[in-house]
Amino acid sequence: MPKYSYLYACFFFLFINSLFGQKKVLQTLFTDEKITIDGKFDELAWEKAAVASDFVMINPDNGKPIPKEKRTEVKIVYNNDAIYIAATLYDNEPHKILKELTSRDDFATADHFGVFLNGYNDGQQEFRYFVSSAGVQQDGVYTEFIGEDFSWDAIWDSKVQVTDFGWTVEMKIPYAAMRFSTEKKQTWGLNFYREIRSTRQQYSWNFLDNKIGNESTQAGILEGIENIQTPTRLFLIPYASQYVYTSKTQKTYGEFKGGLDIKYGINDAFTLDAILIPDFGQTKFDNVELNLSAFEQQFSENRPFFTEGTDLFNKGGLLYTRRIGGEPSLSQDALQSTLPDDHIVDDYPNTIKLINALKISGRTKNGLGIGVLNAVTEKTTATIKNTLDNNSYRKVVEPLANYNEIVLDQRFNKNSSISFVNTSVIRNEEFRDANVSGLVFDLNTKKNTYNVNGSYKYSYINEYGDLDDRKGYTGQLYMGKSSGKYRFGFGGEYFSKDYDINDMGINFQTHYYALYGNASYRIINPTKTFNTFQIFINPYSEFDNKTGRLQAGNINVNINTTSLKNDYFGLGFNLKPLVTNDFYEPRSVDEKLFVNIPQYISSYVYFSSNYNRKFALDINPSYAFINEKGRVNYGLSFSPRYRFDDHFSLIYNFGFNRQNKNVGWASVDDSNNTIFSKRDRITYTNTLQGKYSINNKMNLSLSIRHYWSYVITHNYLTLQNDGSLIDNTTFTGNTNHNLNLWNLDLSYSWWFAPGSQISILYRNNSALSSQDFNHRFDSNFSKAIDNQNLNHILSISVRYFIDYNSIKNATVFGAFTKPKTREHF
């Protein structure tokens, strides 16, 4: 190569590096012209607006400029109500644009355009708005800690046009759908996103360097928004629902529910959300499992109020919203222990009714985030029966209770924060109260190369009745390299014996300290074999505070890759080379007893074919060898999916898991010995997900799950003080289990206006549990779907979004306009 070619190449790469290292700036303009959201851009305002272009690839070839034939051009204008975005996405192969229709927030198989906005330009949180080439909206909140959270939903407008040169997107994002400071002259963080689904290529306007973990610090700048006079942000969402319940064991009956959601913008930075008489009857069903562990099963939150815009409230990990309106604090067993021998619990409530809840959240111009969450649940009773005279009476298992969380989160340096979090649960009468406080920090160097984070949390429990109050604490510290091809970190944590956040949060283990680390490597640009390649190594050790015994000691290795054809392949190994001690499985008083856990090695392989193909397949076999005779675990997950067209698709999943010679807690005998059992556990899970999208506003969805898990006990063992187990030939209890569950949801949803929805849901389910059963799949499946065992629910719900400003404007207009006669229609 001639010498000048080397000089030219060096100059080119220095230029590209300089370009990527700078933040792009887009200047916007004010317009008083009415803009119709139709994807055509025929208003004069668009002719004057500046253009954002020169997109750069995020994945797979990070840093590569977008080809000219795929160029993207974006413009922004604004008025006192909203900002408006016009995007032209060129494509020289428009017939290859994928356009699968889905329900909202489902990306599926389609091209996408996105706008990322940060009203404080602090590099810490972005509101993200996406539109697919089929016109389906997705929106969410991005933070470095959580990533993208699509549980948040805003109300905004968009329209797509597919053309012979590509496709266009026009968007209107009201100021009510974002947060920003009260400054007269606004400077926002801004980025644009484009996904070309056919090639799985992702691009951004301002370069997102994959060597840096935090995406929000890499946004460009939006300037020009000045002196906006935002309207009153008051939105009312009344709802009405009708339910019909029936089964073979109960008479058909109906129930009407009505309530109101309120969203009020205290100012442009702070918002109040409230629900009065909430209705969560159409939320997704829980994936209940046969739980043999010492800890409760943790469920996902599916209630919209508790999933939308909760990133601030999740600081410190002290909030588990399923506690609010969950099970009573006085358990059925605890209640029974307080009763005379001839009194029994005849009817015990599974949940507590939520009366109302509110959230206030926002951020000041100096970066101080403030969040308040409050909820009130009603007084709840159980029915007690006197077996001598058959008379019944009621006893309180959960009094009127108030759940509250306060968060103060100070951001600084555009990538760091320190937070104070407090949660409290106050119950009437002599019931347990709880208060937890935490100090949390997350510090990053200027270039986001290194990170230090940690926390200190303190809990105080005012126990039920005359029980002793308890105080506990925990501390955590982690530091590491958070950018580049090679990353690493190490940390530790300490939990005292009486640390307890379980009134409003969730925590399983206490009285231990842990030391852990991680190291990873990734490629930034494709190779001849891989589009992406990552390897992670994570050592972990855990010790009991009281005895110093090893509770956990393992190292796992995970490898994740994507081929040049965008097929995903992963594998992993987990090795525990030493015998450890489990203080939780024996379920002893004060967790004094422990059981020895043998060495093991486990592995898995995962393959997922490119979902762009009409037929795709996920498969995940796993195997674990435990160092005891005949004790192995193995499983298989198999999930084919087929996309018939852009409207209709089906996904089936089969899961199988078998644990041979598993050892676990079984009971306590009459001599107060802790009894373990050696058992086989077999689990089958079959699910079917289907959707038919009529258009981007109407969807039919099907969700079916059959879960069958059973346990067969071979023999019993007695736990010794040294953690060993010896044979027990005298225990005669039956600890076999059979859990047979069926869930079916068939729903129709129509977003008939912005923020307004009609939904119809038919649901049936059964839950069968027994200790005497047969082992045939067909017999258990038949029982699960037998109408004798099914509960049926049909519900219709209507939610209507009302903007206070539209009412006000209509009232003013009506006061000064001559009423219309029939001739005007």
Side-chain angles (χ1 to χ4, degrees):
M1 181 182 289
K3 183 181 295 185
Y4 69 84
S5 297
Y6 286 108
L7 293 174
Y8 175 80
C10 291
F11 174 78
F12 175 78
F13 284 116
L14 286 172
F15 172 76
I16 292 295
N17 184 66
S18 173
L19 181 65
F20 290 166
Q22 298 176 4
K23 287 183 176 289
K24 295 180 179 178
V25 178
L26 180 65
Q27 198 76 21
T28 184
L29 295 173
F30 179 86
T31 181
D32 54 9
E33 183 180 7
K34 182 181 178 181
I35 295 179
T36 301
I37 305 302
D38 54 14
K40 297 179 180 179
F41 319 149
D42 47 13
E43 293 85 1
L44 292 176
W46 295 124
E47 297 180 9
K48 303 176 183 178
V51 179
S53 58
D54 300 324
F55 279 47
V56 184
M57 191 179 293
I58 309 169
N59 290 310
D61 199 353
N62 191 224
K64 183 179 180 180
I66 194 169
K68 181 179 179 181
E69 62 271 17
K70 307 288 186 184
R71 66 190 183 278
T72 305
E73 298 175 350
V74 189
K75 301 178 181 181
I76 293 181
V77 297
Y78 75 98
N79 59 23
N80 284 324
D81 296 319
I83 66 168
Y84 299 82
I85 298 99
T88 304
L89 301 95
Y90 290 93
D91 196 319
N92 62 324
E93 299 175 302
H95 61 282
K96 291 186 178 181
I97 296 174
L98 297 173
K99 306 183 290 295
E100 184 182 7
L101 285 160
T102 63
S103 58
R104 182 177 175 137
D105 285 338
D106 185 354
F107 280 78
T109 308
D111 285 27
H112 287 89
F113 171 77
V115 180
F116 304 168
L117 296 173
N118 182 340
Y120 298 92
N121 191 31
D122 59 6
Q124 303 226 12
Q125 182 189 63
E126 291 177 338
F127 292 90
R128 295 186 169 184
Y129 313 85
F130 301 86
V131 185
S132 79
S133 49
V136 179
Q137 293 184 349
Q138 302 89 19
D139 47 19
V141 177
Y142 171 87
T143 59
E144 182 185 14
F145 178 71
I146 298 177
E148 289 183 321
D149 176 13
F150 288 99
S151 62
W152 176 80
D153 286 320
I155 296 170
W156 47 286
D157 197 9
S158 61
K159 184 68 176 179
V160 165
Q161 296 279 349
V162 178
T163 69
D164 57 359
F165 58 81
W167 59 294
T168 63
V169 184
E170 194 165 19
M171 304 164 67
K172 174 185 178 181
I173 303 177
Y175 296 122
M178 63 187 87
R179 304 282 178 85
F180 51 92
S181 72
T182 56
E183 297 292 314
K184 290 186 177 180
K185 186 175 182 180
Q186 300 282 327
T187 301
W188 293 0
L190 171 70
N191 217 340
F192 301 114
Y193 167 90
R194 179 180 181 181
E195 179 185 14
I196 302 175
R197 180 71 187 196
S198 61
T199 55
R200 291 292 188 97
Q201 293 176 340
Q202 298 169 304
Y203 294 88
S204 63
W205 171 59
N206 207 74
F207 177 50
L208 294 180
D209 189 344
N210 285 343
K211 295 192 294 293
I212 300 174
N214 190 347
E215 295 180 4
S216 56
T217 59
Q218 304 179 68
I221 302 294
L222 177 65
E223 293 181 344
I225 299 179
E226 299 179 2
N227 301 314
I228 52 175
Q229 299 175 0
T230 56
T232 302
R233 293 192 296 143
L234 174 60
F235 310 112
L236 307 175
I237 309 176
Y239 74 85
S241 303
Q242 179 65 47
Y243 292 81
V244 178
Y245 306 87
T246 187
S247 72
K248 285 292 185 180
T249 59
Q250 71 177 14
K251 185 179 179 180
T252 300
Y253 69 97
E255 181 183 21
F256 178 80
K257 297 180 181 180
L260 178 68
D261 292 0
I262 300 172
K263 296 180 183 293
Y264 174 63
I266 300 171
N267 56 32
D268 291 329
F270 285 85
T271 300
L272 179 149
D273 294 284
I275 50 173
L276 308 176
I277 319 176
D279 173 25
F280 301 123
Q282 291 193 338
T283 55
K284 182 181 180 294
F285 58 78
D286 290 324
N287 291 332
V288 177
E289 298 177 353
L290 176 60
N291 184 12
L292 301 180
S293 76
F295 308 114
E296 65 181 296
Q297 183 181 351
Q298 184 173 356
F299 295 106
S300 300
E301 178 60 85
N302 298 317
R303 298 171 294 180
F305 178 83
F306 293 110
T307 61
E308 295 176 359
T310 56
D311 59 293
L312 185 62
F313 298 102
N314 289 322
K315 289 279 185 178
L318 298 180
L319 179 65
Y320 177 48
T321 53
R322 290 296 294 259
R323 298 288 187 215
I324 303 171
E327 297 179 351
S329 57
L330 183 60
S331 68
Q332 186 169 350
D333 289 341
L335 173 61
Q336 185 66 61
S337 68
T338 66
L339 302 176
D341 292 341
D342 49 6
H343 290 218
I344 61 171
V345 179
D346 190 43
D347 184 32
Y348 183 84
N350 293 321
T351 58
I352 303 162
K353 184 177 180 180
L354 178 64
I355 299 175
N356 56 58
L358 66 84
K359 295 178 295 191
I360 299 175
S361 61
R363 194 168 294 275
T364 68
K365 65 179 181 180
N366 295 319
L368 177 62
I370 302 173
V372 177
L373 170 66
N374 188 270
V376 178
T377 58
E378 73 174 7
K379 181 178 180 179
T380 306
T381 60
T383 302
I384 313 300
K385 183 178 180 180
N386 185 335
T387 58
L388 297 179
D389 58 14
N390 286 328
N391 287 329
S392 297
Y393 60 95
R394 306 193 73 81
K395 192 172 179 67
V396 176
V397 292
E398 180 74 13
L400 183 73
N402 182 275
Y403 295 78
N404 192 75
E405 181 182 20
I406 298 174
V407 182
L408 301 175
D409 174 51
Q410 180 63 59
R411 296 175 179 170
F412 54 94
N413 294 342
K414 293 192 175 183
N415 63 0
S416 300
S417 65
I418 183 168
S419 310
F420 172 78
V421 186
N422 175 266
T423 65
S424 65
V425 181
I426 301 173
R427 298 180 175 95
N428 276 0
E429 306 174 28
E430 293 296 317
F431 279 74
R432 159 176 167 147
D433 297 331
N435 192 287
V436 182
S437 294
L439 187 66
V440 183
F441 62 89
D442 182 15
L443 310 176
N444 294 276
T445 56
K446 185 176 181 180
K447 294 184 178 180
N448 291 287
T449 305
Y450 296 95
N451 170 266
V452 177
N453 65 71
S455 64
Y456 176 81
K457 303 165 191 173
Y458 174 83
S459 66
Y460 173 75
I461 306 298
N462 184 352
E463 274 289 7
Y464 178 82
D466 297 327
L467 297 176
D468 293 336
D469 296 344
R470 296 182 292 114
K471 303 173 184 178
Y473 63 92
T474 179
Q476 179 263 338
L477 180 65
Y478 172 86
M479 56 188 67
K481 184 175 183 289
S482 54
S483 68
K485 292 182 177 180
Y486 297 93
R487 304 182 191 184
F488 59 84
F490 56 90
E493 58 189 11
Y494 180 93
F495 283 79
S496 71
K497 173 179 176 293
D498 290 325
Y499 179 70
D500 188 351
I501 64 171
N502 286 306
D503 288 79
M504 199 164 173
I506 188 166
N507 185 65
F508 296 135
Q509 297 182 199
T510 58
H511 63 79
Y512 76 90
Y513 63 93
L515 300 171
Y516 49 86
N518 66 76
S520 64
Y521 168 78
R522 73 213 62 220
I523 63 173
I524 303 301
N525 301 100
T527 67
K528 293 180 179 180
T529 307
F530 300 110
N531 267 339
T532 65
F533 178 91
Q534 297 175 315
I535 181 169
F536 302 88
I537 303 174
N538 301 281
Y540 180 84
S541 61
E542 184 178 293
F543 302 86
D544 176 57
N545 289 346
K546 301 173 291 183
T547 64
R549 287 182 174 273
L550 183 67
Q551 286 191 171
N554 59 281
I555 181 169
N556 65 64
V557 179
N558 298 285
I559 299 173
N560 302 318
T561 70
T562 307
S563 72
L564 297 180
K565 293 184 178 181
N566 292 306
D567 295 317
Y568 175 85
F569 178 79
L571 59 91
F573 303 93
N574 189 12
L575 173 65
K576 188 173 82 72
L578 301 173
V579 174
T580 57
N581 310 119
D582 188 340
F583 286 82
Y584 310 100
E585 183 64 16
R587 310 174 200 196
S588 59
V589 177
D590 292 330
E591 295 174 341
K592 293 180 179 179
L593 299 178
F594 61 90
V595 62
N596 298 330
I597 305 298
Q599 306 95 325
Y600 69 80
I601 182 170
S602 64
S603 62
Y604 73 88
V605 176
Y606 184 81
F607 172 78
S608 178
S609 63
N610 188 345
Y611 288 175
N612 282 0
R613 303 176 189 129
K614 283 185 173 292
F615 176 80
L617 176 67
D618 296 337
I619 186 167
N620 177 205
S622 60
Y623 186 87
F625 170 78
I626 299 93
N627 191 21
E628 283 183 359
K629 184 178 179 181
R631 189 171 177 184
V632 295
N633 301 339
Y634 53 90
L636 173 68
S637 175
F638 175 80
S639 180
R641 59 177 63 208
Y642 191 78
R643 189 175 72 255
F644 295 86
D645 55 30
D646 287 337
H647 298 268
F648 180 41
S649 66
L650 289 173
I651 304 172
Y652 169 71
N653 181 270
F654 168 77
F656 170 78
N657 184 266
R658 184 180 180 103
Q659 297 171 285
N660 288 342
K661 303 298 178 62
N662 173 263
V663 176
W665 180 88
S667 185
V668 176
D669 68 12
D670 294 337
S671 300
N672 207 34
N673 293 313
T674 301
I675 307 301
F676 275 60
S677 66
K678 185 168 287 187
R679 61 214 182 184
D680 292 343
R681 177 176 180 177
I682 298 91
T683 301
Y684 296 88
T685 306
N686 287 273
T687 65
L688 180 65
Q689 304 288 329
K691 67 90 181 172
Y692 184 84
S693 297
I694 301 169
N695 52 44
N696 58 18
K697 306 294 184 187
M698 289 187 190
N699 292 277
L700 287 166
S701 299
L702 174 68
S703 180
I704 298 174
R705 178 179 185 254
H706 178 238
Y707 173 89
W708 176 41
S709 184
Y710 65 92
V711 173
I712 302 173
T713 302
H714 294 295
N715 59 285
Y716 294 102
L717 308 161
T718 302
L719 179 65
Q720 304 299 291
N721 289 332
D722 64 356
S724 63
L725 297 164
I726 62 173
D727 288 335
N728 182 312
T729 58
T730 60
F731 183 77
T732 58
N734 181 0
T735 57
N736 292 335
H737 296 276
N738 185 74
L739 184 62
N740 188 13
L741 305 175
W742 169 266
N743 295 93
L744 181 149
D745 280 4
L746 177 62
S747 64
Y748 165 80
S749 174
W750 176 29
W751 292 92
F752 61 91
S756 303
Q757 181 186 29
I758 294 175
S759 56
I760 303 172
L761 172 66
Y762 167 69
R763 167 174 291 172
N764 67 45
N765 61 76
S766 66
L768 306 174
S769 179
S770 61
Q771 291 182 301
D772 298 309
F773 53 93
N774 67 54
H775 308 154
R776 291 181 53 183
F777 177 85
D778 58 344
S779 174
N780 281 271
F781 180 76
S782 296
K783 288 181 179 179
I785 62 173
D786 189 336
N787 196 46
Q788 296 291 332
N789 300 318
L790 288 174
N791 302 302
H792 303 270
I793 305 172
L794 178 64
S795 59
I796 302 175
S797 181
V798 180
R799 298 170 59 85
Y800 190 74
F801 175 80
I802 301 172
D803 184 346
Y804 162 78
N805 296 288
S806 63
I807 298 175
K808 181 180 68 174
N809 294 339
T811 302
V812 172
F813 182 79
F816 295 96
T817 305
K818 181 179 177 181
K820 292 182 178 180
T821 66
R822 185 174 297 275
E823 295 176 355
H824 290 90
F825 291 93

